[in-house]
Amino acid sequence: MNQTSVHRFSSFATFNKTRALKDITLNLTSDEAENLEKYCEQTGKAPTDVIRELIQGLPVT
């Protein structure tokens, strides 16, 4: 299963002075999309929240 699924996650917060929102399109393989969906079902979190938390956990360079 190496097909690419396209999932659109909008309203990602950017970290500039105005805290504007930015739309981002994320291309996931079907396996990646399935893993994200399963994780969201298990945790009760929305995909946007899961991805936002992961981004916020990245080290600042």
Side-chain angles (χ1 to χ4, degrees), residues 17-39:
K17 293 179 184 176
T18 61
R19 300 281 297 176
L21 298 179
K22 182 174 183 176
D23 289 339
I24 296 175
T25 300
L26 181 62
N27 295 320
L28 302 172
T29 65
S30 56
D31 288 341
E32 292 167 339
E34 185 177 329
N35 286 342
L36 179 58
E37 289 172 13
K38 285 180 182 178
Y39 182 82

Side-chain angles (χ1 to χ4, degrees), residues 3-12 22-37 40 46-55 58:
Q3 294 177 331
T4 299
S5 298
V6 177
H7 292 263
R8 184 170 173 89
F9 301 101
S10 61
S11 302
F12 283 94
K22 182 174 183 176
D23 289 339
I24 296 175
T25 300
L26 181 62
N27 295 320
L28 302 172
T29 65
S30 56
D31 288 341
E32 292 167 339
E34 185 177 329
N35 286 342
L36 179 58
E37 289 172 13
C40 291
T48 302
D49 294 332
V50 171
I51 295 168
R52 183 180 292 122
E53 289 171 6
L54 291 169
I55 291 170
L58 293 173

